[in-house]
């Protein structure tokens, strides 16, 4: 398998360079970090500034792979939120009689397109709990009305994952997506969502708590990783069984109108199947089996990033597209300012270049990849875009 930038292992780092989170998260106005969320990142010149073995040097202007507060570090995490109690590991998130390919929930059931002309296709990048920003972006694109209800008729809307953590109202975001799914279906369109790595993190924290998991850098647990990576106590307190069921049935990828939609800019999806259907079913199966180590391994792989950036990036995109179909990979996960080299020491924080905001999606990797994470958690922008991109 081709390994793009950020996919090699660095012994002793605890995580592969290229894993998330990227530095700079949590700086958006009004952001209130969860207890224990670390902002301490190694200075430029550290081991993270070197390209991973076998990946080639980054392309011109590309920043170093992100310093990673290790999910595996044996850091003493703060106490769990008041009233928090993880579910029993042997309690299935997905009912035993559930068939992965049967999309039987109304909120994710696709209504067949009306006639021969499907409605316009839109995608939404990482939201991370920023409900107000999401509503504003959806209204700007004519997808919801002033009251936050579906107003786009037969339009098709895809969310690329990462609804919770870091921002103030992750559960509110999930509630809105579930609501729009039902309203869009009734109007002849649809609203669907993909599984992000933060959905896996939230599921794991709720389900396995502080259960130790096998990791490359020492003792780790889902709950500690969730706290250290923007987990919001209010989200955990408001999490209900219906949210857990909805999240656990999300697909990991989908191909539509020549676009391969995924959350993470990684080729790790290839480890779970040689078709989109096989891969989606395999990931649902991981969640069914209630194995903390297996779930952790899935989460770890989907935190990888930057596969399509720098040397070998276009080839990595071709490999993913050649296996799963589509002409372009559309992903979230890695903030565009990071892909552009505007974070991580490339420009002074008070420079004019650093002040340039994200205006839209980023097309790169020889036009084979589209980045949709505008960096809403790092003074960026929550992106909603119509596909195919024009201009």
């Amino acid at each position: 398998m081709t390994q793009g930038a950020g996919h090699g292992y660095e012994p002793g780092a605890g995580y592969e360079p290229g894993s998330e989170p990227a530095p700079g998260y949590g700086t958006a106005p009004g952001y209130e970090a969860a207890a224990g969320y670390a902002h301490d990142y190694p200075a430029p010149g550290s081991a993270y500034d070197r390209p991973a073995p076998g990946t080639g040097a980054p392309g011109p202007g590309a920043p170093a792979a992100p310093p990673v507060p290790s999910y595996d570090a044996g850091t003493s995490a703060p106490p769990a939120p008041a009233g928090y109690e993880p579910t029993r590991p042997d309690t299935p998130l997905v009912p035993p009689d559930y068939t992965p390919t049967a999309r039987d929930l109304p909120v994710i059931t696709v209504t067949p397109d009306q006639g021969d002309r499907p409605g316009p296709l839109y995608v939404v990048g990482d939201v991370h709990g920023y409900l107000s920003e999401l509503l504003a972006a959806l209204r700007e694109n004519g997808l919801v009305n002033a009251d936050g209800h579906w107003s786009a008729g037969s339009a098709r809307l895809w969310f690329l994952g990462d609804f919770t953590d870091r921002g103030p109202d992750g559960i509110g975001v999930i509630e809105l997506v579930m609501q729009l799914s039902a309203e869009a279906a009734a109007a002849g369109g649809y609203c669907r969502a993909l599984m992000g790595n933060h959905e896996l993190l939230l599921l794991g924290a709720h389900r396995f708590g502080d259960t130790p998991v096998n990791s490359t850098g020492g003792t780790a647990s889902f709950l500690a990783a969730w706290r250290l990576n923007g987990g919001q106590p209010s989200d955990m307190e408001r999490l209900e069984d219906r949210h857990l069921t909805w999240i656990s049935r999300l697909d990991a990828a989908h191909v539509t109108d020549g676009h391969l939609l995924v959350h993470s800019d990684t080729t790790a999806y290839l480890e779970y199947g040689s078709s989109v259907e096989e891969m989606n079913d395999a990931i649902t199966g991981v969640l069914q089996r209630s194995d903390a180590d297996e779930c952790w391994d899935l989460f770890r792989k989907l935190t990888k990033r930057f596969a399509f950036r720098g040397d070998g990036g276009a080839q990595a995109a071709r490999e993913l597209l050649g296996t799963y179909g589509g002409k372009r990979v559309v992903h979230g996960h890695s903030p565009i300012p990071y892909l552009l080299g505007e974070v991580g020491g490339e420009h002074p924080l008070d420079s004019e270049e650093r002040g340039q905001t994200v205006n839209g999606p980023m097309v790169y990797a020889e036009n084979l990849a589209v980045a949709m994470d505008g960096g809403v958690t790092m003074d960026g922008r929550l992106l909603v875009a119509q596909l195919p991109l024009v201009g």
Side-chain angles (χ1 to χ4, degrees), residues 164-165 167-171 202 226 232-239:
T164 66
D165 302 339
D169 195 1
I171 298 301
L202 182 64
W226 174 77
Q232 299 295 301
S234 61
D235 284 344
M236 189 66 78
E237 291 164 3
R238 295 164 57 200
L239 192 62

Side-chain angles (χ1 to χ4, degrees), residues 2 21 24 30 39 62 105 130 164 190-191 219 230 232 240 242 246 270 292 303 312 322 324 334 338 344 361 373-374:
T2 300
H39 292 279
L105 280 184
Y130 285 86
T164 66
Y190 67 72
C191 170
T219 303
Q232 299 295 301
E240 299 177 12
R242 61 194 179 92
W246 183 80
L270 295 171
T303 63
Y324 295 139
S334 290
Y338 221 63
D373 184 351

Side-chain angles (χ1 to χ4, degrees), residues 70-88:
S70 174
Y71 290 114
D72 295 340
T75 306
S76 177
Y84 168 72
E85 182 178 354
T87 59
R88 292 172 52 86

